[in-house]
Amino acid sequence: MNAMLVVIVGIVILAAGYIFYGGWLAKQWGVDDSRPTPAHELEDGMDYVPAKAPVLMGHHFSSIAGAGPINGPIQAAVFGWMPVVLWVLIGGIFFGAVHDYGALFASIRHKGQSLGEVVALNIGERAKKLFLTFSYLTLVLVVAAFASIVASTFVGFNADGSHNETNASVAVISLLFIVMAILFGFFVYRRGASLLLATILGCVGIVVCLVIGLNWHPIYLSNTAWMWIIGVYILIASVAPVWILLQPRDYLSSFLLYAMMIIAAVGVIGAGLTGADAAHMDMPAFTGWYDELAPTGTSLGYVFPALFVTIACGAISGFHSLVGSGTTAKQLDHERDAKPIAYGGMLIECVLALISLAAVSFIWTEYASGEIVTPTNVFATGISRMVASIPGLEGAQGTISSLLVLTVSVFCLTSLDTATRLARYMFQEFWLKPGQTYKDATGFKAVLCNPVVATVITVVLGVGLGMTGYSKIWPLFGAANQLLAALALLTVCAWLGNIGKNNKMFYIPMLFMLIVTLTSLFQTVTTQAGKIAAGTVAAGDWGPYAQAVLGTMLFVLAIVLAVEGCITIFGKKKSA
């Protein structure tokens, strides 16, 4: 099988899904461009700020993308290329894009508030509390993980104490990006500068930042120091007006991701046209129902549920519903923009997932043998070798590989500040009644709902967990993330049913994702409980105990919310 054909045919199928299925969904749900969006109705200059579609697309795509659609397909490649391709295409069009589009649309019809508000009004107040608690804890884990990952890419010293110039370069480039974003936001939103001109100058600025960072990087700090600095940054980023940092930074960063995808596409197509051996998928179409390859040393287990938990961002991811109903819904200029931003943004991620699969197929022998297994390195090595196989570009491999790794690292920081802001929204909404904002809170709730207080609590929890051992419970994140997707599908389904709109397109996706996550959680709990019962847990290792307890709690949570949601969906309908 030629990798170029897989990517091109996949893009054609995804485009058809966008045009026909995405258009059908808009008609079924009653997308009305004449209705004012929350960004206009509730504009406050801080969280609710209308954004032009290209700018908001940059923010949304930067927040949901990053390493997710790269890591998942590469790790799941152990089952063969056919299961990955089928899940990315079917999952992307009928699961993930529907999930993202539905979450964003439901939020803009609920004053731009999170899905917790939709749960409260359409399922019940208790369900809202459970949903927000689960979502908040998931986001705290994301903050912990991404803060730790970003800090590790910034730390200026190697294990032997010598300077790590690559990491120092990434740190300087990221800091320059922040400064450039502030300037971009100021001139576009406060001085009325042309978006086209600002974008052109911004892209030039990106190149300048890269050149400066690669050649001048005097900052060498420890991991702990960077964790503290990152904590201060995300605290400020979460409470600052979106127009001054979040919107422009994500918008400009998105061009790095677009450039990465263009370079990758050139590599895949160029290698295919020139007949390079690596253009052919050397990996088997299907390796079997159980992962016996285990290149990392740890088997993923059976294809069900592993495939559907491992490939999240490239097919369906619960984190996307938090982004869509958290920051994106508060900035949407017109309802018509929801389809390209949410449905289209998800399908672009599917394209990146297919390109990632092509990358691992390019170096399949080295991946299968365990020689190159880190997803980011697999992606960078595979794509850079594809590009280098094109006549005239033989010497570009090293530069392209470094730029691809750098781009993935930059996007971890982008997702981090978005996750922090989302967690702040969740924390505030937990204490509020339906329809209230933090300005309506009184007494101790007014203190807890204060944006600064809510952010400080989130940052302390997230960064603290990142410095003390988030990796102990990180194995639960895959199932938790897909459980969140199932609950988001259930929530939007209940709302559409309550207002008399067609919601049947949600039945199969939400049922399937519930089965996937419950199966995965059951496997995790029984495995960890078995280790505890057998006495094989090392002294001081609290990871298995935490996974067993938290996994059980998530399992029960899923059952409770599923039952209450199904009663709403299939029982007596509420009035709109």
Side-chain angles (χ1 to χ4, degrees):
M1 173 62 73
N2 189 289
M4 179 185 71
L5 293 178
V6 170
V7 173
I8 292 177
V9 172
I11 291 175
V12 171
I13 293 174
L14 292 170
Y18 174 81
I19 295 171
F20 297 108
Y21 197 61
W24 178 76
L25 291 175
K27 293 179 181 178
Q28 293 296 306
W29 298 345
V31 174
D32 183 2
D33 203 44
S34 65
R35 293 176 62 120
T37 62
H40 291 284
E41 285 188 306
L42 304 172
E43 185 173 359
D44 60 5
M46 180 176 175
D47 295 321
Y48 291 86
V49 178
K52 295 180 180 179
V55 175
L56 187 55
M57 180 65 171
H59 155 68
H60 183 81
F61 189 50
S62 299
S63 299
I64 66 173
I70 294 174
N71 292 0
I74 289 175
Q75 293 170 336
V78 294
F79 296 114
W81 63 264
M82 184 62 75
V84 175
V85 170
L86 290 176
W87 175 232
V88 167
L89 295 180
I90 296 173
I93 294 172
F94 299 105
F95 288 61
V98 175
H99 164 273
D100 291 16
Y101 192 11
L104 176 55
F105 184 59
S107 180
I108 62 176
R109 289 295 178 88
H110 287 80
K111 299 183 179 181
Q113 293 185 292
S114 76
L115 287 183
E117 182 79 357
V118 185
V119 171
L121 294 173
N122 294 276
I123 299 179
E125 186 66 22
R126 182 179 67 171
K128 169 196 171 181
K129 297 292 186 183
L130 291 173
F131 181 86
L132 287 179
T133 300
F134 166 61
S135 300
Y136 180 76
L137 293 178
T138 300
L139 286 170
V140 168
L141 183 56
V142 171
V143 171
F146 277 65
S148 180
I149 292 171
V150 171
S152 69
T153 63
F154 287 0
V155 65
F157 303 99
N158 295 310
D160 60 3
S162 60
H163 281 179
N164 188 319
E165 295 191 3
T166 300
N167 285 8
S169 294
V170 173
V172 169
I173 292 170
S174 296
L175 293 175
L176 290 175
F177 260 47
I178 294 172
V179 175
M180 188 170 64
I182 293 174
L183 293 174
F184 182 95
F186 175 76
F187 282 107
V188 170
Y189 288 98
R190 288 297 178 267
R191 289 293 180 265
S194 164
L195 178 61
L196 176 61
L197 177 61
T199 299
I200 294 173
L201 294 176
C203 290
V204 173
I206 290 174
V207 176
V208 172
C209 290
L210 292 173
V211 172
I212 293 175
L214 291 173
N215 293 279
W216 181 76
H217 34 74
I219 304 175
Y220 294 89
L221 300 175
S222 66
N223 185 80
T224 301
W226 276 120
M227 286 292 285
W228 282 106
I229 293 173
I230 290 169
V232 173
Y233 164 73
I234 60 177
L235 193 157
I236 296 173
S238 178
V239 297
V242 292
W243 61 265
I244 193 64
L245 184 57
L246 190 72
Q247 279 184 4
R249 185 184 187 281
D250 290 356
Y251 175 62
L252 293 174
S253 296
S254 68
F255 286 97
L256 268 180
L257 185 54
Y258 300 147
M260 179 182 73
M261 292 183 66
I262 291 172
I263 291 173
V266 168
V268 173
I269 296 174
L273 293 176
T274 57
D277 291 338
H280 297 277
M281 287 186 164
D282 293 330
M283 71 173 72
F286 182 59
T287 61
W289 299 105
Y290 187 84
D291 171 24
E292 296 182 355
L293 190 63
T296 62
T298 303
S299 173
L300 292 180
Y302 288 97
V303 67
F304 183 90
L307 176 72
F308 309 100
V309 172
T310 303
I311 302 179
C313 286
I316 179 172
S317 169
F319 179 68
H320 295 189
S321 68
L322 301 185
V323 175
S325 68
T327 54
T328 306
K330 293 177 175 65
Q331 303 170 61
L332 196 74
D333 198 15
H334 304 283
E335 283 199 359
R336 66 171 181 267
D337 297 337
K339 179 187 169 186
I341 289 173
Y343 198 95
M346 178 65 239
L347 297 189
I348 296 175
E349 271 207 291
C350 295
V351 175
L352 183 54
L354 293 177
I355 291 174
S356 301
L357 181 65
V360 70
S361 75
F362 202 94
I363 58 170
W364 176 251
T365 302
E366 292 162 282
Y367 180 71
S369 65
E371 184 178 345
I372 304 177
V373 294
T374 303
T376 302
N377 291 336
V378 171
F379 181 80
T381 303
I383 296 301
S384 61
R385 285 187 189 177
M386 282 186 176
V387 175
S389 70
I390 301 173
L393 296 177
E394 294 85 357
Q397 180 178 339
T399 301
I400 290 176
S401 178
S402 298
L403 288 176
L404 292 176
V405 172
L406 171 64
T407 302
V408 175
S409 299
V410 167
F411 274 88
C412 288
L413 185 58
T414 301
S415 297
L416 173 61
D417 52 29
T418 299
T420 307
R421 199 178 194 98
L422 292 172
R424 190 252 291 180
Y425 292 154
M426 297 289 175
F427 187 86
Q428 290 174 304
E429 288 182 20
F430 180 86
W431 306 101
L432 302 175
K433 295 180 180 179
Q436 286 187 325
T437 68
Y438 73 91
K439 296 177 182 179
D440 301 318
T442 57
F444 78 95
K445 291 183 179 179
V447 177
L448 292 174
C449 292
N450 179 277
V452 176
V453 173
T455 304
V456 168
I457 293 172
T458 300
V459 171
V460 169
L461 290 175
V463 174
L465 183 60
M467 297 175 70
T468 57
Y470 79 93
S471 59
K472 298 289 186 181
I473 55 177
W474 183 251
L476 280 174
F477 177 75
N481 182 54
Q482 299 304 67
L483 172 57
L484 184 58
L487 298 178
L489 289 166
L490 185 147
T491 299
V492 179
C493 181
W495 167 64
L496 287 172
N498 284 346
I499 63 173
K501 298 292 184 181
N502 183 4
N503 63 353
K504 293 181 175 58
M505 68 287 293
F506 286 91
Y507 289 1
I508 294 177
M510 72 178 184
L511 178 62
F512 182 79
M513 296 311 299
L514 276 172
I515 294 173
V516 164
T517 51
L518 290 176
T519 303
S520 179
L521 288 170
F522 179 78
Q523 289 179 346
T524 299
V525 171
T526 54
T527 299
Q528 301 305 324
K531 291 180 181 179
I532 296 171
T536 58
V537 179
D541 182 8
W542 51 271
Y545 296 93
Q547 289 185 44
V549 173
L550 292 176
T552 302
M553 292 173 62
L554 289 177
F555 190 93
V556 174
L557 168 71
I559 297 296
V560 172
L561 288 177
V563 170
E564 294 198 9
C566 287
I567 291 174
T568 301
I569 295 169
F570 301 110
K572 183 179 179 181
K573 304 293 184 182
K574 298 178 182 178
S575 59

